[in-house]
Amino acid sequence: MTDKTATGTRQLGEALLLSAAILKARKRLLTMHHRARAGHIGGNLSCLDALIALHLLIMRPQDRFILSKGHSAGALYVALWSIGKLTDAQLDSFCRDGTQLPGHPSGTGIPGLMFSTGSLGHGPSLASGLALAARHQQSGRHVYCLCSDGEWQEGSCWEALIFAVHQKLDNLTIVIDQNGLQGFGSTHEVISCNDLAPRLASFGAHIVSADGHDPDALATALASRQPGKPAIIVLNTIKGRGLHNEGLMESHYLPLSDDHFSAACVRLDDGAACS
C-alpha cells in the first residue's frame, strides 16, 4: 500500500467514524434537551458537529478548550459524553436541581472546564492568554475556543484577535459557529454582515471557511495551521440543524415539544428512536 493510499484509507475511516459519532450525539442531545425542557437547542445543533470533531479527532490530552458561546453547553456535555468523560446519568441531570451540568457551563463537575462562560465575548481573550502562557511554558499545548458569530459584535473579540496576531499565537485556534442568527434576528439585519471571514482576514490571521456539517470538511478545517498566525475557522452552519424550525429564530430560545422531538428523531435516522 502506498503512502497516498494509506492516507486516503485513514481519512475515510476517520470520516465514517465521525459521521457515526455525530449522528449518535445528535440523538443524545435532542433527548437531553427534551427531557430537561431546556431552550437554546438551535445553537447547540449548529455547533455540535464541530465539537464532536474537535474532541474525537483533533484535540490531544494536553490541549485546552474554551466554550465562549456558553449557551451551547449542552453540545459540549454531549461531546464529552461521546468520548467517555461524562455518563448518561450525568446528562440526565442536565438543567435540573442539584446538577453539575447547568445551562451555561460553570462549577467543578465538568471535565476540562477552565472558566465559567455565558456572557459573550470573553472566550477569545481567555484563549489568547492561555496560548501565550503555553508558549512561555514550552508545553506544546494547543488552545481551542468556540464562539458564535453574533458574539463577534463584542469589541473584546477584536481586541483579542489583534493581540493574538501580534503575538503570532500559532498554537491558538478560534472556531466560529456562523449560523447567521442571533438573539434579535439575523446577523445581516443586526450589523449587515453575512460572513465574518473577509473582515477577520484583514487582521492577518490564518482564515479557513468550511461547511460546519460536512465531516470531511470539518476534520480538514479544524486541523489547519499556518506558522506564525492564529487560526480562525469560520464554519457555515444551520441553526436548529434537523429540526422542524431549522434555520429559524424560534430554535434559539424555545424547548422542543413532544411532537417536534419525535419528528426530529425521524428526520435524523429514518424513524430510529432517540435514546
Side-chain angles (χ1 to χ4, degrees):
M1 183 182 293
T2 65
D3 289 344
K4 185 175 181 179
T5 302
T7 299
T9 302
R10 177 182 57 78
Q11 290 174 339
L12 176 61
E14 288 181 351
L16 292 173
L17 173 67
L18 182 55
S19 295
I22 288 171
L23 178 59
K24 185 177 180 181
R26 285 178 184 165
K27 292 178 182 178
R28 194 63 184 88
L29 179 70
L30 286 171
T31 300
M32 184 181 75
H33 265 260
H34 179 245
R35 288 176 179 171
R37 301 295 179 182
H40 285 308
I41 186 67
N44 277 266
L45 285 168
S46 62
C47 71
L48 179 63
D49 300 16
L51 285 178
I52 296 297
L54 266 177
H55 284 82
L56 191 63
L57 297 180
I58 305 297
M59 289 181 61
R60 305 163 300 166
Q62 68 267 35
D63 293 336
R64 298 290 182 264
F65 174 76
I66 296 172
L67 181 70
S68 193
K69 51 173 297 188
H71 54 285
S72 290
L76 173 60
Y77 302 154
V78 170
L80 292 171
W81 167 83
S82 73
I83 58 172
K85 291 192 174 183
L86 289 175
T87 66
D88 276 306
Q90 286 174 300
L91 292 192
D92 287 341
S93 74
F94 174 60
C95 282
R96 299 178 186 274
D97 290 345
T99 187
Q100 292 182 312
L101 306 181
H104 290 77
S106 63
T108 59
I110 304 168
L113 185 71
M114 302 187 71
F115 307 100
S116 298
T117 54
S119 297
L120 297 177
H122 296 175
S125 297
L126 295 169
S128 296
L130 287 176
L132 183 62
R135 174 194 288 167
H136 287 317
Q137 295 166 347
Q138 299 181 341
S139 66
R141 180 178 300 140
H142 201 94
V143 181
Y144 299 88
C145 176
L146 177 67
C147 303
S148 64
D149 50 352
E151 182 173 5
W152 279 79
Q153 293 162 29
E154 300 277 0
S156 55
C157 292
W158 297 97
E159 292 171 14
L161 176 58
I162 293 169
F163 174 84
V165 169
H166 176 71
Q167 295 292 340
K168 300 180 180 179
L169 297 179
D170 53 10
N171 62 336
L172 171 66
T173 296
I174 295 175
V175 183
I176 300 178
D177 176 18
Q178 186 167 264
N179 60 38
L181 292 170
Q182 59 186 91
F184 296 102
S186 70
T187 53
H188 177 71
E189 292 169 333
V190 176
I191 58 162
S192 301
C193 182
N194 290 321
D195 184 13
L196 284 164
R199 301 185 185 192
L200 295 164
S202 67
F203 282 73
H206 171 55
I207 309 298
V208 177
S209 294
D211 182 341
H213 300 300
D214 181 315
D216 283 326
L218 263 176
T220 300
L222 292 172
S224 183
R225 306 279 187 273
Q226 185 172 339
K229 292 186 176 184
I232 302 185
I233 314 302
V234 181
L235 297 178
N236 297 303
T237 62
I238 300 173
K239 198 161 197 133
R241 172 75 166 179
L243 297 183
H244 66 290
N245 51 10
E246 181 180 272
L248 300 178
M249 264 302 302
E250 62 185 276
S251 73
H252 185 81
Y253 295 111
L254 300 180
L256 289 169
S257 68
D258 292 344
D259 288 343
H260 289 152
F261 169 69
S262 297
C265 291
V266 171
R267 287 189 187 93
L268 274 177
D269 197 23
D270 296 327
C274 293
S275 60

